Amino acid sequence: MKIFKDRTFIGIFCILISLFICFGITPIFNDRIAKTVDIVRVTKEITEGEQITGDMVKVESVGGYNLPHNVIKTSDNVVGKYATATLSVGDYILTDKVSNEPQRDNEYLYKLDGKRQAISVTLKSLANGVSGKLKQGDIVSVIAPDFRKSGITKIPAELKYVEVVEVTTPSGYDTNTNEEKIQDKSKDEKELPTTVTILATPEQSKILAELEADGNIHLSLVYRGDKAQAQKFLDAQNKIIDKLYSSKENDEKNTENEVVE
């Protein structure tokens, strides 16, 4: 169109756009930045599991732009509660970083719902457990060399994706919850993990027990990160187990019916 080739029109149009940005959008943006809200900040380092006292936090006014929706804004919602993670000086506190109840030893064992079990397997060498780098919440695959004396190394279908709930050292300390104790035991050398506790269904537990008896288990790290993404792996594993064992149940029922007939 000829109108868009007219330099005067283009110049006027650009000026109008600039005025709209300067006097329309910019003030709104500046207002949002300038608007302040009260939040709770950490004034003394708080270790995981520690009860929060009044001298550990203070309320400050900060710019409200881009703050997380679950940031805590009053000290009453913090003082007297327990930190679920280590908090550094200057941190603001999110609702999922505090708990009404103190943490218990082996906290993960209190979350079992009856559908899954906690079962530990032995790491015979550093290489068997990703060089001691496994952490709580990791999704791993269980590799079985010479699976059931078949001469074949495989990942059993039931153990393609399982969740690590704890990693434990020879002295019995859990590496994810007793880091200071593990390091204090030896200033020069950190204890290496010897067992990994896995969250498993009864079917998975039976196979893990077999592999433990055979004494040859290797773990490979599949995923570490966002819980929602990790759950997708576990959901995929659940579908595999449902398919495997629902078909076995149907076969058993069919066999029973044939015998009765």
Side-chain angles (χ1 to χ4, degrees):
M1 296 177 62
K2 291 184 178 180
I3 190 171
F4 291 108
K5 295 181 180 180
D6 189 322
R7 294 182 179 178
T8 302
F9 172 80
I10 294 173
I12 295 172
F13 180 75
C14 291
I15 292 171
L16 291 174
I17 291 295
S18 300
L19 291 173
F20 175 71
I21 293 172
C22 290
F23 298 103
I25 297 176
T26 302
I28 295 173
F29 181 73
N30 289 336
D31 286 342
R32 292 190 63 184
I33 294 177
K35 185 178 179 181
T36 61
V37 296
D38 289 340
I39 65 166
V40 178
R41 276 196 187 279
V42 178
T43 58
K44 292 182 179 179
E45 183 169 324
I46 305 170
T47 58
E48 183 178 352
E50 188 174 4
Q51 187 173 28
I52 302 172
T53 58
D55 63 331
M56 295 178 174
V57 296
K58 68 176 180 180
V59 176
E60 284 186 354
S61 294
V62 299
Y65 180 71
N66 212 30
L67 276 177
H69 71 280
N70 59 336
V71 66
I72 296 178
K73 300 177 181 178
T74 62
S75 58
D76 290 342
N77 291 330
V78 173
V79 175
K81 295 188 177 183
Y82 299 85
T84 60
T86 297
L87 302 170
S88 301
V89 175
D91 286 350
Y92 48 70
I93 305 176
L94 306 180
T95 54
D96 58 356
K97 298 298 182 183
V98 295
S99 170
N100 291 323
E101 301 294 331
Q103 286 187 317
R104 296 170 288 192
D105 288 340
N106 304 320
E107 179 71 23
Y108 56 92
L109 297 179
Y110 292 89
K111 298 179 181 179
L112 299 177
D113 57 6
K115 296 179 181 179
R116 295 183 182 276
Q117 309 166 347
I119 182 170
S120 296
V121 294
T122 305
L123 301 176
K124 291 294 181 71
S125 71
L126 189 60
N128 286 52
V130 196
S131 299
K133 293 179 174 60
L134 290 177
K135 296 174 62 176
Q136 193 175 70
D138 284 347
I139 304 300
V140 298
S141 290
V142 179
I143 304 172
D146 191 20
F147 182 57
R148 290 175 175 169
K149 310 300 181 184
S150 65
I152 300 173
T153 297
K154 65 180 295 185
I155 298 174
E158 293 91 339
L159 301 174
K160 189 174 182 180
Y161 305 123
V162 291
E163 181 182 359
V164 172
V165 292
E166 198 49 85
V167 183
T168 307
T169 67
S171 58
Y173 289 132
D174 292 339
T175 60
N176 291 294
T177 54
N178 293 285
E179 187 70 26
E180 291 181 5
K181 293 180 181 178
I182 293 167
Q183 291 180 341
D184 287 344
K185 185 165 182 175
S186 173
K187 294 182 180 179
D188 299 323
E189 185 177 353
K190 181 179 176 180
E191 275 196 302
L192 298 174
T194 55
T195 63
V196 172
T197 303
I198 291 172
L199 196 63
T201 64
E203 295 85 2
Q204 291 172 319
S205 294
K206 290 176 183 178
I207 299 175
L208 286 169
E210 284 183 39
L211 298 178
E212 176 69 14
D214 290 339
N216 209 352
I217 295 177
H218 205 108
L219 303 179
S220 62
L221 180 62
V222 176
Y223 179 78
R224 172 182 293 169
D226 180 67
K227 288 184 179 180
Q229 185 63 33
Q231 187 59 46
K232 292 180 181 179
F233 288 95
L234 299 178
D235 291 341
Q237 180 66 79
N238 289 338
K239 290 180 180 178
I240 293 172
I241 291 176
D242 288 343
K243 185 176 180 180
L244 284 172
Y245 289 90
S246 62
S247 61
K248 286 183 180 180
E249 287 177 3
N250 291 333
D251 290 342
E252 289 175 359
K253 288 180 180 178
N254 291 334
T255 301
E256 290 176 359
N257 291 335
E258 289 175 3
V259 170
V260 172
E261 291 175 358

